[in-house]
Amino acid sequence: AQSVTQPDIHITVSEGASLELRCNYSYGATPYLFWYVQSPGQGLQLLLKYFSGDTLVQGIKGFEAEFKRSQSSFNLRKPSVHWSDAAEYFCAVDSTSGTYKYIFGTGTRLKVLA
Amino acid sequence: DAGVTQSPTHLIKTRGQQVTLRCSPKSGHDTVSWYQQALGQGPQFIFQYYEEEERQRGNFPDRFSGHQFPNYSSELNVNALLLGDSALYLCASSPARFTDTQYFGPGTRLTVL
């Protein structure tokens, strides 16, 4: 069965430091992959997505993610974190590519220290 | 341009009751999906509506049902509420059934006592 694992429940970084959030998936074919961010009281906002092609994907707010097929990973990165990045981050896979029936990971809560 | 809106924001019900949640998609969007997000968990797909029909369904019991109206707005109905139904219910819309971006609303927080 398809699944998405985000091994880090909480991550704390200092403002200005780099960030990497991990995401691993289990899927039989090449999946569609997504990263979303959720701030308190807000809905989910799409940061970036990967369907095919270049394995390094650029998103909004200075985020990027790299798809590594050999590791079944799609890690999210940001070179310099801002205090406003504190939120919960969700990795998701389209359970049957092209149907947008997402399977989400359990999320990583990011805390940013001033 | 308003994004996805949901009502109500919060709702408190007791076990056994029925609840209806509402969603208005983003302008120009005709596909609506519903997700349940329990505390500390990622969202789980409930079902998707397109052309007023349920097109896809996740692993949820028949107590969960929905409807889509001609103006593309949607309702999620849950019957015979259980304590475990307490969650944030998210609605997402997209401009076509097979499109790459879903836009999420802020959600409805349902508490079942």
Side-chain angles (χ1 to χ4, degrees), chain B residues 29-50:
Chain B
H29 289 189
D30 62 5
T31 302
V32 173
S33 300
W34 287 91
Y35 293 81
Q36 180 195 65
Q37 186 177 16
L39 200 61
Q41 301 296 316
Q44 286 193 290
F45 176 79
I46 303 175
F47 42 54
Q48 182 187 75
Y49 275 83
Y50 172 73

Side-chain angles (χ1 to χ4, degrees), chain A residues 22-107:
Chain A
R22 296 183 290 166
C23 173
N24 293 96
Y25 64 89
S26 172
Y27 193 74
T30 300
Y32 291 5
L33 293 158
F34 307 82
W35 273 100
Y36 281 85
V37 61
Q38 186 177 37
S39 299
Q42 303 293 317
L44 297 166
Q45 182 183 21
L46 179 68
L47 289 175
L48 46 77
K49 60 197 178 192
Y50 172 79
F51 289 174
S52 64
D54 192 347
T55 57
L56 185 62
V57 180
Q58 301 298 319
I60 63 171
K61 303 185 179 187
F63 286 93
E64 66 178 26
E66 186 171 12
F67 170 61
K68 293 186 177 180
R69 186 190 308 274
S70 61
Q71 298 177 20
S72 297
S73 69
F74 188 56
N75 293 349
L76 182 71
R77 300 193 296 245
K78 187 170 185 178
S80 178
V81 170
H82 188 262
W83 64 266
S84 61
D85 293 325
E88 187 140 28
Y89 291 80
F90 292 94
C91 180
V93 58
D94 181 9
S95 64
T96 304
S97 296
T99 62
Y100 307 100
K101 180 181 171 182
Y102 291 174
I103 294 176
F104 282 87
T106 52

Side-chain angles (χ1 to χ4, degrees), chain B residues 15-31:
Chain B
R15 280 178 296 176
Q17 285 189 311
Q18 178 266 343
V19 68
T20 298
L21 310 182
R22 296 176 176 82
C23 171
S24 291
K26 185 176 170 62
S27 178
H29 289 189
D30 62 5
T31 302

Side-chain angles (χ1 to χ4, degrees), chain B residues 63-80:
Chain B
R63 298 187 296 110
F64 289 77
S65 63
H67 187 77
Q68 186 178 36
F69 299 93
N71 67 352
Y72 309 124
S73 66
S74 177
E75 289 182 348
L76 164 65
N77 301 293
V78 187
N79 294 322

Side-chain angles (χ1 to χ4, degrees), chain B:
Chain B
D1 175 27
V4 178
T5 60
Q6 293 185 244
S7 63
T9 304
H10 296 88
L11 203 53
I12 299 175
K13 292 286 188 178
T14 57
R15 280 178 296 176
Q17 285 189 311
Q18 178 266 343
V19 68
T20 298
L21 310 182
R22 296 176 176 82
C23 171
S24 291
K26 185 176 170 62
S27 178
H29 289 189
D30 62 5
T31 302
V32 173
S33 300
W34 287 91
Y35 293 81
Q36 180 195 65
Q37 186 177 16
L39 200 61
Q41 301 296 316
Q44 286 193 290
F45 176 79
I46 303 175
F47 42 54
Q48 182 187 75
Y49 275 83
Y50 172 73
E51 292 185 337
E52 302 180 46
E53 290 190 18
E54 183 183 297
R55 299 293 182 169
Q56 295 186 80
R57 189 177 183 92
N59 188 26
F60 279 80
D62 292 343
R63 298 187 296 110
F64 289 77
S65 63
H67 187 77
Q68 186 178 36
F69 299 93
N71 67 352
Y72 309 124
S73 66
S74 177
E75 289 182 348
L76 164 65
N77 301 293
V78 187
N79 294 322
L81 284 167
L82 303 174
L83 295 179
D85 295 331
S86 295
L88 180 68
Y89 288 85
L90 296 166
C91 170
S93 73
S94 53
R97 185 178 172 200
F98 298 114
T99 188
D100 57 6
T101 302
Q102 294 190 71
Y103 293 79
F104 283 81
T108 293
R109 173 72 63 187
L110 172 65
T111 302
V112 182
L113 302 177

